[in-house]
Every structure is written in C-alpha cells, then in structure tokens.
Amino acid sequence: MHQRRIAAGSGPSSGVALFLGSASRALSAIGALLFVWWAATDGTGLVSSVRFPSPSETWVAWQQILWEGYGSARWHEHVIRSVALVTLGFAASASLGVALGLAMGSSRTIEALVNPAFLFLRPIPPLAWIPLAIVWLGLGDSAKGMVIFVAAFVPSVINSFSGVRQIDAPLLEASAMLDVRGWRYWREVLIPGALPSIFTGLRLSLQASWTTLVAAELVGAVAGLGQILNQGAQDIYTAMILVGMISVASCGWLMTLALGWVERRAMPWRAH
C-alpha cells in the first residue's frame, strides 16, 4: 500500500501540483518586488526617477519599444535576434563540450592530449575573445556566436568530465565484468551516470551564454537586447535600460525552465 501511494504521488497530478506551487511562490515573490518598487518610486518618491525609473515609466518605455520600436527595431525583433543567437551558440557549445568532457573523462589518453591546451585557454575571459572575433568574423552575428560558444564551452566540458569521474567504482567494475563496451558502454553507463553533472554544466553554460551575449551586443549590434541597453545608456533613458534588463532576465529564465523540463525528461528518477 505504501508503495502504491508513492507511485500515485509521483504521477502527472503530482507534477501539476508541484508546478502550480512553484508558480504561486514565484508570482508572490514578483508581486512583493513590484510593490516595493512602486512604494520606493511612485508611492513615496524616496528614489528619484533619474536614478531608477518607476513602474509606470518602465511600462511607458516598454509600450514605446513594443509598438514604435527603439534602437532600430521593435521589442519582439530584439528578443528574437538575441534568443536565436543564444540558442545556436549554446547548442553548439553544449554538444561539443559534453562530448569532449565525456571523452576526456573516459579515456586517460584523450585527457592527456587535450587537457594541457584546455587548461591553457580556460583562464582567458570570454569577453577577451571579442576583439579577435571581430577581426576574424567582423561585426555580424558570427562573431557574437563565436564569443557565446567560447563562454558556454568551458562549463559543459568541466562538468561532463567531472560527472564521468564521479561515477561509482562498483558500477564501472560491474560493467567491465559484464563486458559492456563501445556505444553500449556510453549509452548505459557513462552518459546516465554523468547526467546530473552534465545538466549542472548546461545550466552554467546557458547563464554564461546570456551574460556574454549582452556584452557582445554592446558593440556593433543592429538589433538585440544588448543593443537596447547600449542605446538606452547613450540616451540616458533609464526606463528603457530597465526594459532591456527585464527582457534579458525573462528570456534567460524561460530558457532555464525549458532546460529544466528537458532535465526532468532525461532523468525521471530525479523528478522529485
């Protein structure tokens, strides 16, 4: 009976209840933050709108960029451009980074060949690649994609490598005793054992992708969320700067939720 209750509690209805609970807590926190923001600006005037815009001013700025445009594009065009760049750069870096990390973790030979170069390049900040990317690829999206790739590549490699090395020794010994080799060894032993660490690396890579994108778009971007921030700073338009910041936060949050959904599908045993 106890096992049946556990199984019943782990079904779709339980997942919906968890989602609703998380959503209600998130909405409560957002509501409290909005109230404090309103009270400090429009409500009491403790904070000058020159230094930090009020909710009403931010709403007006968002309406402006939504319908009239700002920084050579409208809001949805900025969002689509930035999300596309992050998605492409993140997908490329995650695919190659996870594969390289797993290969280094499973083979001492590959680790010995690749690790010296990786350790040499790892301390270089991703933003330091921007000038070189511009020289190589110009001011277009290719240069920004390269910088995003570099920023997201390192966390995915490190965490995938660590995930393989943290697999329990008895599991590896059992697979060797059962003569599990080749693709079957990767599919049934290495990848499942390293998945928790892999997804930790992917979350860090996604965060690094967004951080680097905004910095890359501050230079030579035709459209994008970074362009909103850059143009708003030049115009001293604090409300529009805040619109750009909120847009970046919202897009990053939604992509993190999507990655969390993929993680739960890939590891259903850790859903709770």
Side-chain angles (χ1 to χ4, degrees), residues 9-70:
S10 61
S13 59
S14 177
V16 172
L18 288 173
F19 173 78
L20 292 177
S22 300
S24 63
R25 289 191 294 270
L27 290 175
S28 298
I30 292 173
L33 180 62
L34 289 174
F35 176 78
V36 172
W37 181 15
W38 171 85
T41 53
D42 285 334
T44 61
L46 291 175
V47 179
S48 170
S49 61
V50 176
R51 295 184 177 274
F52 196 81
S54 65
S56 59
E57 292 171 331
T58 305
W59 174 255
V60 171
W62 187 75
Q63 291 291 312
Q64 174 188 342
I65 193 174
L66 181 65
W67 302 114
E68 302 174 14
Y70 184 79

Side-chain angles (χ1 to χ4, degrees), residues 87-98:
T87 302
L88 291 175
F90 170 73
S93 64
S95 301
L96 294 177
V98 169

